[in-house]
């Protein structure tokens, strides 16, 4: 079996991720899943685990879950995070600019250069697209866009002056402030996008209802376990709940609205 937690696995916080997995692993096994791996699988790309044979547990972004990977992944639970910009099972993207930038409102971003991590990202692409769509003119708002390959790379481009703005999910922003301040020094939050459900815990689409139930029981018990409090706090993880997959329809709605306004890409 394969398990991964790729979405917030900063190198600087890897010990906290591993400690949290140790608690989850113990409770998954206690819930009747004896083949849970003791160690997480780590790969070069965050998307790799989503289609691995033998996938038991991983985390994804809401946009892939509702789009290109919808036939591969099954929703297990939605985490709650304590980072600024989160509210229960919902989160927002922080709009990040340089400290010295004169930008204070979304309208001020017109004609600016935006860096984004990937086209399949809710936080880096779909959310800022939804923000810009009502302001777009003839399908254009930003002056240029660069796909960076990751949130850290996007922030680095803004910090260096190669881009003017990026959208980074609020947990990633909080984790960099805590663990990698050298990346975010000189940057500030100028605003927030609209909310969407947090990055979901998922399993392979072929896992049966009983396995999903046991995974959910394991998550509940791991969160209640005092032995995991330190690891959870280190990762800003507060809680988790089971949402209907339809809760993620807001992501599709953001996309449909932007496209209906003639604004399909960041530009």
């Amino acid at each position: 079996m394969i398990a991964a937690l790729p979405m917030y696995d900063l190198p600087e916080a890897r010990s906290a991720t591993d400690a949290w997995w140790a608690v989850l692993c113990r409770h998954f096994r206690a819930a009747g899943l004896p083949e849970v791996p003791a160690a997480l699988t780590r790969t070069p790309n965050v998307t790799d685990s989503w289609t691995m044979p033998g996938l038991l547990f991983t985390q994804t972004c809401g946009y892939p879950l509702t789009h290109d990977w919808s036939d591969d992944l099954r929703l297990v639970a939605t985490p709650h995070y304590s980072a600024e910009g989160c509210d229960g099972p919902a989160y927002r993207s922080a709009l990040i600019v340089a400290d010295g930038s004169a930008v204070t409102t979304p309208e001020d971003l017109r004609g600016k250069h935006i860096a984004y991590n990937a086209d399949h990202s809710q936080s880096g692409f779909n959310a800022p697209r939804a923000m810009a769509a009502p302001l777009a003119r003839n399908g254009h708002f930003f002056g240029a866009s660069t796909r960076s390959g990751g949130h850290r790379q996007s922030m680095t481009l803004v910090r260096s002056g190669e881009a003017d703005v990026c959208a980074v999910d609020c947990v990633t922003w909080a984790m960099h402030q805590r663990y990698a301040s050298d990346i975010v020094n000189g940057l500030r939050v100028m605003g927030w996008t609209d909310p969407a459900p947090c990055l979901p815990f998922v399993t392979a689409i072929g896992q049966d209802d009983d396995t999903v139930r046991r995974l959910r029981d394991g998550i509940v018990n791991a969160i209640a376990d005092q032995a995991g409090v330190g690891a959870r706090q280190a990762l800003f993880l507060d809680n988790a709940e089971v949402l209907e997959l339809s809760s993620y329809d807001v992501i599709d709605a953001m996309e449909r609205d932007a496209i209906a306004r003639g604004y399909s890409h960041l530009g």
Side-chain angles (χ1 to χ4, degrees):
M1 304 295 280
I2 296 295
L5 287 172
M7 301 310 291
Y8 298 124
D9 193 25
L10 271 65
E12 299 85 356
R14 191 150 290 175
S15 60
T17 303
D18 287 336
W20 170 235
W21 175 248
V23 177
L24 273 175
C25 176
R26 178 158 48 83
H27 285 285
F28 286 155
R29 290 176 177 176
L33 298 169
E35 296 183 14
V36 177
L40 293 167
T41 294
R42 289 186 165 100
T43 61
N45 299 310
V46 297
T47 63
D48 289 345
S49 68
W50 302 345
T51 56
M52 280 187 170
L55 174 64
L56 178 68
F57 189 77
T58 189
Q59 188 173 21
T60 184
C61 171
Y63 191 96
L65 178 64
T66 57
H67 288 73
D68 289 351
W69 283 267
S70 61
D71 292 333
D72 299 298
L73 299 171
R74 180 175 180 181
L75 178 63
V76 174
T78 300
H80 295 196
Y81 291 99
S82 61
E84 182 185 6
C86 294
D87 183 12
Y91 80 115
R92 297 173 184 266
S93 295
L95 296 166
I96 306 298
V97 298
D99 278 342
S101 171
V103 169
T104 59
T105 69
E107 177 61 38
D108 293 337
L109 294 171
R110 184 180 303 280
K112 301 297 185 183
H113 187 158
I114 185 169
Y116 67 98
N117 56 333
D119 297 76
H120 60 252
S121 173
Q122 166 60 22
S123 56
F125 182 87
N126 195 42
R129 177 175 60 178
M131 177 276 298
L135 304 173
R137 298 172 184 164
N138 298 318
H140 296 284
F141 178 72
F142 294 105
S145 63
T146 297
R147 183 170 60 185
S148 69
H151 283 315
R152 178 172 289 197
Q153 293 93 317
S154 294
M155 291 187 287
T156 299
L157 288 174
V158 175
R159 191 165 181 262
S160 70
E162 296 174 74
D164 299 304
V165 63
C166 64
V168 174
D169 87 76
C170 57
V171 180
T172 294
W173 172 249
M175 290 194 70
H176 277 80
Q177 287 182 302
R178 177 176 289 181
Y179 298 112
S181 59
D182 58 312
I183 302 294
V184 300
N185 283 342
L187 302 178
R188 65 176 173 86
V189 178
M190 58 77 47
W192 300 90
T193 66
D194 286 341
C198 287
L199 283 67
F201 296 132
V202 295
T203 188
I205 193 73
Q207 297 289 359
D208 60 25
D209 291 346
D210 182 64
T211 298
V212 172
R213 177 185 61 79
R214 293 176 190 274
L215 288 171
R216 288 170 174 167
D217 288 346
I219 292 170
V220 169
N221 292 328
I223 287 174
D225 189 341
Q226 289 300 302
V229 170
R232 287 197 297 102
Q233 290 178 342
L235 299 172
F236 295 90
L237 180 61
D238 267 354
N239 205 343
E241 68 176 280
V242 177
L243 298 179
E244 295 293 332
L245 183 59
S246 60
S247 299
Y248 286 83
D249 288 350
V250 63
I251 291 172
D252 289 330
M254 286 181 179
E255 180 174 59
R256 288 195 305 271
D257 179 70
I259 291 173
R261 294 175 183 271
Y263 191 69
S264 60
H265 203 276
L266 293 175

